[in-house]
Amino acid sequence: MRLLEQLCKIHAPSGNERNLSEFLLNYIEEHKVQWKKQPVVLSGEGFQECILLVFGEPRAAIFAHMDSIGFTVRYRKQLVKIGGPVAEKGFKLVGQDAQGEIECSLKYDEEEGELLYDYEREIERGTELVFKCDFRETEETVQSCYLDNRLGVWSALKVAETLENGIIAFSCWEEHGGGSVAYLCKYIYENYGVKQAIVSDITWVTEGVRPGKGVAISMRDSLIPRRSYVEKIIAIAKESGVPYQLEVEGAGGSDAKELQHSAYPWDWCFVGAPEDNVHTPDEIVHKKDIKSMVQLYEALMKKL
Amino acid sequence: MRLLEQLCKIHAPSGNERNLSEFLLNYIEEHKVQWKKQPVVLSGEGFQECILLVFGEPRAAIFAHMDSIGFTVRYRKQLVKIGGPVAEKGFKLVGQDAQGEIECSLKYDEEEGELLYDYEREIERGTELVFKCDFRETEETVQSCYLDNRLGVWSALKVAETLENGIIAFSCWEEHGGGSVAYLCKYIYENYGVKQAIVSDITWVTEGVRPGKGVAISMRDSLIPRRSYVEKIIAIAKESGVPYQLEVEGAGGSDAKELQHSAYPWDWCFVGAPEDNVHTPDEIVHKKDIKSMVQLYEALMKKL
Amino acid sequence: MRLLEQLCKIHAPSGNERNLSEFLLNYIEEHKVQWKKQPVVLSGEGFQECILLVFGEPRAAIFAHMDSIGFTVRYRKQLVKIGGPVAEKGFKLVGQDAQGEIECSLKYDEEEGELLYDYEREIERGTELVFKCDFRETEETVQSCYLDNRLGVWSALKVAETLENGIIAFSCWEEHGGGSVAYLCKYIYENYGVKQAIVSDITWVTEGVRPGKGVAISMRDSLIPRRSYVEKIIAIAKESGVPYQLEVEGAGGSDAKELQHSAYPWDWCFVGAPEDNVHTPDEIVHKKDIKSMVQLYEALMKKL
């Protein structure tokens, strides 16, 4: 899990994913020689900070978002949210401005209803702060900020090792309204004719989705995927013997929003491990669910 | 109204429109020989469950959504909404899971604020339930669940009988965030150069739009169509002598949302009969308004 | 500021921008001979009411929306909002229906929670009413309804006078959900390969952005632009010596929403003068901020 820890520590809030993008490009460059199949790596001009890996003759694509939630420094000591972080008094935040590296903590002014930071000096306007990473591992679990979605990225990298045919897309802005999957899915559809997607992201432990019981296949969240495609995913999961759980929610969303609303007839399904303490510095995932996530992706990318 | 009754009874909540799609494909195949002009029928690969009928040299397109509101079974006996159904205690719901056909009723747990179903056994996760159809007809009215939008579909099929030039698009997901009109309108624009739309859907009886007073031409809802196009529609309506009413709302939406936000310069206008008891099992529409809806579409498709 | 006054007085609420579009086409036709470079003027078929001016070899595009907020007449004496106007009792509204020109005033029925107009006769359904323009100028300020965004349009026309390479896009529907930038940015990207945008619009005076302190460069609003692009904008601003202020907000939006969500990898940044009394008939902007807005745009269009 050393790689996962590295990923969780990289500063990459929505809109500023370049550090993670560069890390991944280097990682891919170094490791792809050991992979079963060499992918075409697309990035740079026309892709903003996104990365596409194209293996063989793709029929399906994995979307894993790189960005995280966080906070932007406003005026005086105010903070504005990036995405939907839980904002609890005392949470440690880190970042950097022209005056140097910053480690501060979160405050909440109840009277004004304002989020604030507590720090010895004023931080420059527009500086992004993210949760300080405290990576914890037991025999059964990993715990850290930003398992959502560094774990989805990590899982995709694991799948990359043996992938023969398929696309892996590392996307941006998922936590804050989206903005990259629209052009990624256009590019993929137009260049490879692929329109089957699996969204490699982390979901919620709930009364119906329990830790350690297997990766979750989401039948719906705030959006509803095409029924026949979800049934195909479930059939492959059943056949594969990999432990999985079916999720049904009325809220929540993912990169799938952009697929659903794109001008291309994409089918999509969210498939990901569940976590507890969502959007806090203490996100926790069961290792069994990570294992089944990788295994199910391997099966899906072969059968879809 | 036998066809309308058949349409209202088909299970096709947002995301799972295949039953209605298949029914329509069969209906079209059987009946098109009697139509004035034979359309090109586009469906299948690249269209998900959608259908396009292309007649002659099209200048305008009718969009009619096939999907309905409903409920998805969550965990224990909870339900999650598909679209925005009215959820009243005792409403009869029907569906099917691997254990067989289901007829149950709606409950509401006020303490937990939860929607539930009342049934002798637990229903499988992800099963869709829809209103049980009780189709009622009088001399003046039709009443049933899902007149929104099976009546819009029905009206489009009537218009198809005499249509010489034009497109009819049967779409998906309208009740739940959209997801098909974006690619349908791209396909139509790119292949036929058409960018004039009429949205064949059902609207609301209000203090300004009365039952029996004619089809409603909506000047706006939550979105505002291009003024000059709406004026053109109204001018054709006036000239046609067909009874109509002008609607002005600040809320509500339709397939037009996707047209408005697409990357193509579509003009659109919502034109449809008004109903009372919206999104309940008792939607009711005046037959005069159905008649004027079909007549106005016929006039519009000739003049636009 | 005679031109700005003319612009502020033109009736052009979202969806009905044709008067302003025609005014601009005439203005451009008359004045472009005095401009440093003759632009290609694109409008009409396929552009709805929008206008594109293409100068030389463009690398960046300015987006300025033409439409304004206002009200639509509903039934009886009710009004429905166009965009998000402040609605205060007594505000003067103007418009026109088949019975002639209208000047009325705004009422609010607290009991019913309804917006109403106060006028001697009933106004026709669907009629648009806008704020009556009372244009005021002092040595330091201009004040009027619709500085948002006639001032953004005005600034773009000033920039046009000396622009050698670049695109100016006059857009529609910005105040009411958007609907034109999606196709404008597609057209621009596909025909000119341009994907750098500056949004020429008016922002808010706040505790962090003060009148007279320079044009605001927004680091974020409800959406977050790509960090590296914003940094490029700020670097050019610094180098230019033009006074500017950095803005950081968690709310608000602009034409940038459509750029961010388009299927093209556009970078964007909002750059505009701040105003007080936002969305009222009394919007006020400091002349120094107008001056720095034009100057910064000139610098940006040279350096981007």
Side-chain angles (χ1 to χ4, degrees), chain A residues 206-241:
Chain A
T206 60
E207 63 206 290
V209 173
R210 308 304 307 159
K213 299 295 182 193
V215 59
I217 298 173
S218 180
M219 299 186 75
R220 61 166 289 184
D221 49 30
S222 66
L223 290 181
I224 301 175
R226 189 180 174 208
R227 185 82 182 183
S228 58
Y229 184 68
V230 174
E231 287 173 355
K232 191 162 140 185
I233 299 275
I234 295 172
I236 295 171
K238 244 180 218 163
E239 199 192 293
S240 73

Side-chain angles (χ1 to χ4, degrees), chain C residues 202-216:
Chain C
I202 303 306
T203 187
W204 311 327
V205 166
T206 60
E207 63 207 288
V209 173
R210 307 306 306 160
K213 299 294 182 193
V215 59

Side-chain angles (χ1 to χ4, degrees), chain A residues 74-144:
Chain A
R74 194 176 176 252
Y75 316 131
R76 289 175 309 157
K77 298 213 158 186
Q78 300 164 350
L79 294 174
V80 177
K81 289 184 179 185
I82 299 171
V86 172
E88 220 164 84
K89 205 187 139 187
F91 279 171
K92 292 272 168 278
L93 303 178
V94 293
Q96 189 170 4
D97 66 9
Q99 297 171 59
E101 298 211 347
I102 297 151
E103 182 174 333
C104 61
S105 65
L106 197 63
K107 284 209 315 186
Y108 186 71
D109 180 337
E110 289 192 26
E111 219 160 282
E112 301 282 329
E114 281 180 350
L115 280 178
L116 302 167
Y117 60 83
D118 189 7
Y119 195 48
E120 63 210 33
R121 63 168 173 89
E122 198 161 334
I123 302 174
E124 286 174 17
R125 222 170 254 209
T127 302
E128 303 134 340
L129 299 173
V130 299
F131 291 137
K132 186 181 180 188
C133 180
D134 174 17
F135 195 87
R136 289 148 282 176
E137 197 180 345
T138 69
E139 273 199 26
E140 290 204 325
T141 62
V142 287
Q143 186 166 24
S144 171

